[in-house]
Amino acid sequence: MPFETITKHPERFPVAPNLADYEAARADFDWDAARAALSGLPGGQGLNIAYEAVDRHVAAGRGDRRAIRHIDRHGGITDLSFSDLARESARFANVLGGLGIERGERVFALSGRVPALYAAALGTLKAGAVFCPLFSAFGPEPIAARLEIGSGRVLVTSRILYRRKVADLCARLPALDYVLLTDGGPEDEGDGVLALPRLMADVSDSFTIAPTAPEDMALLHFTSGTTGKPKGAIHVHQAVVMHAMTGRMALDLHDGDVFWCTADPGWVTGTSYGIISPLVNGVGMIVDEAEFDADRWYGILQDQRVTVWYTAPTAIRMLMEVGADVAKGYDLSSLRFLASVGEPLNPEAVVWGAETFGIPFHDNWWQTETGGIMIANYAAMPVKPGSMGRPLPGIAAGIVERTEDGGAREIAEPDTEGELALRVGWPSMFRGYLHEEARYRKTFAGDWYLTGDLAKRDADGYFWFVGRADDVIKAAGHLIGPFEVESVLMEHPAVAEAAVIGKPDDVAGNVIKAFVALKQGYEPGEPLLKELMAHARKRLGPAVAPREIAFRANLPKTRSGKIMRRLLRARELGLPEGDLSTLESDER
Ligand code: ATP
Ligand code: MG
């Protein structure tokens, strides 16, 4: 049953949704008009993400607005206005200039969510250099590998991260000339290992932004490594066109909103939507330095009067596990719009969200490669639980099958599985995998970009995720998407998380094996196993239901929170485990 957010909760929509008439917006859409919503650099000198995100607002007299409310681990609050952010990022750009960093050179960050990270990201873009964020929990090897691929010249990090993870790597990284330490006193820690606060204090807080062109490289983002070795996706300054319009259309950002994106800037969501998109739209955001904690998160939603919240299925599943009763202790009535990305959002989670918050989660779909949201559930459109929604205006998505000559044919028939593909040409499309030209080219067939995800489109034009092409299981003549099976297991009250894989079988080709992590208070054992098997068989039929179910304390995930089915499969079948650089929790 679809959820109608606005008709059910008009009181939560004192403002009309930005995308009130989807069909009309699609029909009238024009990229030049979308570009015209941005101002471009003063004097017609090009386009720069940081100018659009920060300085443009200062120039328009909005400098006093709050841009960032930072909450430190202990709950201490620091507010930064757009003017503050303009000055801090200018200082950082001047620091880079003083060190001789040239346009196009790579500035990496390995940092917790502290204010200096945001100044560094925006300052790097102002200087025309390329910002490349790393997740701060990475170990030394993944850090070194990425710095090497990206020829990082500068790394912004904290003293503790430097000492623990980076100091020993420097000899291996000849391109890395400077490490800038965000915290502590004025002392440097060695040759080229410099105290950033001191450098920032010594330079001017005004800076003339580099005249970057729309096609100049701006961001280098490594993918999550869910399916294999992470790729370095290149993005250009005009990606900001997409950041701006998706913030308005898919996240429904309005003036005066309090926005919270819980993703870390070490991943593309945390940069595109945890820095750029809200700022470009002039919307203030919450940055929480701490990690997930149900009470802390509900407390932030309540105390900061968050209106638009963008989070991920893993976090939602953790909140579900803690239970809806915990949420009842908080006043969450400020929330107007909830969105989720990163993994399939099980229908169960959408229903739970609607019961717990009074409004459903709006799932949306995109990838590191797409640079911004491509398919979404919109405020003014009914949410079908389990569906990713419909393509953004300006985005043509299709279900295709690859042809033998290397092309792709669109499948017009609704409800038919195929590969999700996008017609090339949107502004935030990646421009390459750094140093992997062949891998990049392989993702295109004619004017389609092939996403590697399988999906279906229904007769209403909604897209439904089936599974990653690598994870889809061929069993007894059926193609089985893991998402469908996992969602059914998730319906059972004992199940916190589920992942399914295919196991080779002489008769069926493959049989399905499910790995299940239980909620607190449930015991693994024969009775529960039988119950789960029966539930799955009843809901899915014997051909699709798992043949085996194994209990695990937790499932292996990437550090961005995605379940790594390939690792479960490799371990089950005794195959090589492959690249584990982004593995976070281990099942064993
Ligand atoms: P790698 O490409 O290195 O294997 P990754 O694909 O997980 O890693 P990301 O670019 O961070 O790296 O993730 C994009 C992928 O996440 C999508 O291709 C899709 O498989 C999954 N995803 C994102 N949003 C959704 C969603 N709403 N529903 C289902 N899957 C989603
Ligand atoms: Mg991918």
Side-chain angles (χ1 to χ4, degrees):
M1 187 201 55
F3 288 93
E4 306 247 8
T5 309
I6 296 171
T7 44
K8 278 199 178 152
H9 294 282
E11 77 288 355
R12 290 207 171 169
F13 275 85
V15 286
N18 291 322
L19 192 64
D21 185 341
Y22 175 78
E23 302 295 348
R26 268 193 88 79
D28 297 345
F29 190 80
D30 159 21
W31 283 114
D32 287 337
R35 289 193 177 91
L38 300 170
S39 50
L41 283 167
Q45 291 281 316
L47 183 70
N48 185 287
I49 295 176
Y51 182 78
E52 300 299 330
V54 183
D55 294 51
R56 176 169 68 108
H57 300 298
V58 178
R62 297 189 288 267
D64 289 343
R65 282 194 192 181
R66 191 174 86 196
I68 294 180
R69 166 156 289 186
H70 180 262
I71 307 173
D72 72 23
R73 275 175 212 292
H74 312 291
I77 285 180
T78 308
D79 286 340
L80 288 165
S81 66
F82 281 90
S83 294
D84 294 334
L85 207 48
R87 285 191 291 267
E88 289 302 294
S89 53
R91 284 184 191 278
F92 189 83
N94 279 318
V95 167
L96 292 183
L99 298 175
I101 305 306
E102 309 265 342
R103 279 174 60 176
E105 292 189 321
R106 258 79 75 179
V107 175
F108 278 66
L110 176 78
S111 167
R113 291 180 292 278
V114 295
L117 171 65
Y118 297 78
L122 294 158
T124 299
L125 295 168
K126 281 188 170 179
V130 175
F131 183 64
C132 178
L134 299 178
F135 190 48
S136 58
F138 276 155
E141 278 316 311
I143 295 169
R146 287 161 180 71
L147 277 163
E148 217 156 19
I149 294 171
S151 317
R153 268 204 83 190
V154 177
L155 175 68
V156 178
T157 192
S158 68
R159 286 180 193 260
I160 188 120
L161 289 172
Y162 169 71
R163 284 179 208 149
R164 278 197 197 149
K165 301 183 181 182
V166 181
D168 293 344
L169 302 175
C170 290
R172 275 172 55 187
L173 299 166
L176 185 65
D177 289 328
Y178 298 103
V179 176
L180 305 181
L181 305 167
T182 52
D183 55 343
E187 317 79 41
D188 296 339
E189 293 217 1
D191 202 16
V193 184
L194 311 175
L196 182 60
R198 193 197 68 237
L199 297 177
M200 297 269 281
D202 287 348
V203 292
S204 159
D205 64 4
S206 78
F207 180 81
T208 305
I209 296 181
T212 44
E215 278 299 307
D216 282 353
M217 185 170 171
L219 299 159
L220 176 67
H221 278 297
F222 287 91
T223 60
S224 291
T226 315
T227 54
K229 187 168 170 278
K231 301 148 271 191
I234 296 168
H235 287 284
V236 297
H237 276 276
Q238 66 163 312
V240 69
V241 176
M242 206 74 210
H243 300 144
M245 77 172 233
T246 50
R248 285 195 306 278
M249 293 180 173
L251 300 176
D252 200 43
L253 292 177
H254 283 75
D255 259 5
D257 266 328
V258 178
F259 176 65
W260 186 22
C261 168
T262 59
D264 186 89
W267 309 104
V268 71
T269 307
T271 305
S272 292
Y273 296 94
I275 305 180
I276 302 169
S277 176
L279 296 179
V280 170
N281 284 298
V283 167
M285 63 188 181
I286 302 295
V287 172
D288 181 25
E289 188 183 359
E291 297 314 317
F292 175 86
D293 173 87
D295 272 308
R296 183 173 173 108
W297 278 30
Y298 286 131
I300 290 174
L301 292 171
Q302 166 186 275
D303 298 343
Q304 302 306 329
R305 309 294 298 156
V306 173
T307 55
V308 180
W309 185 34
Y310 194 20
T311 189
T314 324
I316 298 168
R317 287 194 294 260
M318 288 196 277
L319 291 174
M320 288 168 76
E321 196 182 338
V322 175
D325 281 352
V326 180
K328 289 200 186 102
Y330 296 85
D331 172 8
L332 304 173
S333 60
S334 60
L335 286 169
R336 187 185 88 244
F337 190 78
L338 313 180
S340 165
V341 74
E343 277 200 298
L345 184 65
N346 311 93
E348 202 57 23
V350 179
V351 174
W352 181 85
E355 284 165 7
T356 308
F357 300 99
I359 46 176
F361 282 101
H362 294 71
D363 188 20
N364 57 55
W365 176 95
W366 59 290
Q367 307 178 304
T368 308
E369 290 86 343
T370 71
I373 300 170
M374 297 282 112
I375 297 179
N377 285 283
Y378 306 96
M381 214 183 267
V383 173
K384 296 191 191 185
S387 162
M388 311 189 286
R390 301 181 67 185
L392 264 287
I395 298 298
I399 301 297
V400 306
E401 59 185 348
R402 298 191 189 213
T403 55
E404 273 174 14
D405 60 358
R409 185 183 316 117
E410 188 168 9
I411 306 172
E413 186 73 6
D415 302 319
T416 311
E417 280 173 22
E419 185 161 358
L420 178 60
L422 303 163
R423 288 239 191 248
V424 298
W426 70 95
S428 64
M429 193 175 92
F430 71 135
R431 301 300 197 265
Y433 289 132
L434 194 66
H435 308 318
E436 292 192 272
E437 183 57 27
R439 206 171 178 188
Y440 173 65
R441 263 190 272 112
K442 258 177 68 183
T443 62
F444 297 95
D447 63 352
W448 288 110
Y449 161 66
L450 304 170
T451 66
D453 285 345
L454 300 189
K456 297 187 276 198
R457 175 175 41 200
D458 69 17
D460 296 331
Y462 282 68
F463 282 75
W464 298 76
F465 186 76
V466 171
R468 293 165 179 273
D470 292 4
D471 291 337
V472 166
I473 303 158
K474 212 169 191 178
H478 303 271
L479 263 191
I480 299 169
F483 178 49
E484 182 186 8
V485 182
E486 291 160 7
S487 289
V488 162
L489 291 167
M490 289 283 298
E491 289 168 4
H492 192 281
V495 177
E497 285 183 324
V500 310
I501 62 161
K503 258 181 94 168
D505 177 85
D506 287 343
V507 180
N510 280 287
V511 293
I512 291 184
K513 172 157 186 174
F515 296 86
V516 163
L518 297 176
K519 287 184 188 156
Q520 278 166 24
Y522 289 91
E523 281 302 314
E526 198 60 26
L528 185 55
L529 188 73
K530 285 207 171 113
E531 208 179 301
L532 281 175
M533 288 281 202
H535 166 73
R537 248 186 241 126
K538 186 164 142 238
R539 294 278 288 109
L540 295 163
V544 180
R547 180 81 60 88
E548 286 177 46
I549 297 180
F551 295 112
R552 291 284 187 271
N554 51 58
L555 301 177
K557 294 200 195 73
T558 64
R559 291 191 181 277
S560 56
K562 295 167 197 262
I563 295 173
M564 284 169 113
R565 292 173 192 80
R566 69 164 161 108
L567 187 56
L568 287 168
R569 190 160 186 278
R571 287 177 176 169
E572 182 69 24
L573 306 182
L575 300 171
E577 295 191 344
D579 185 287
L580 297 184
S581 63
T582 63
L583 177 66
E584 156 146 344
S585 49
D586 216 333
E587 47 153 357
R588 290 185 289 199

